[in-house]
Amino acid sequence: PKKEALVDWQRFVDSAPTLTGRDVRDLGYKPGPLFTRIFDALRQARWEGKLRTREEEIRFLQDTFPIQNGH
């Protein structure tokens, strides 16, 4: 059981998004409640093994949270 907890912890650490709040803002997103949803979604996708690289995170972000009308 201890080893499993360690593996889960390492997986949790490894699932931390590579993008920062500044990166997301620089991509055109406004800080606010959406940021929480963005980072939760990024972490979940990384946890599930769907995202591996920064470029994949950016593509996922733009596909999942499209910017509407320049906002």
Side-chain angles (χ1 to χ4, degrees):
K2 256 188 182 176
K3 187 178 180 212
E4 287 174 14
L6 188 60
V7 168
D8 278 352
W9 172 251
Q10 188 60 51
R11 188 172 167 203
F12 178 79
V13 170
D14 290 344
S15 67
T18 61
L19 294 177
T20 66
R22 171 174 278 175
D23 293 328
V24 173
R25 194 178 66 228
D26 289 349
L27 287 166
Y29 295 87
K30 289 187 170 53
L34 178 62
F35 268 39
T36 303
R37 289 181 35 224
I38 286 171
F39 283 102
D40 286 348
L42 285 170
R43 182 175 284 279
Q44 182 68 34
R46 284 187 66 94
W47 176 267
E48 293 169 1
K50 294 176 183 170
L51 302 175
R52 299 254 179 247
T53 67
R54 178 182 173 85
E55 291 73 25
E56 288 174 350
E57 286 186 20
I58 291 170
R59 202 162 41 246
F60 172 83
L61 174 62
Q62 292 170 332
D63 289 346
T64 308
F65 301 96
I67 297 175
Q68 304 296 328
N69 303 323
H71 301 317

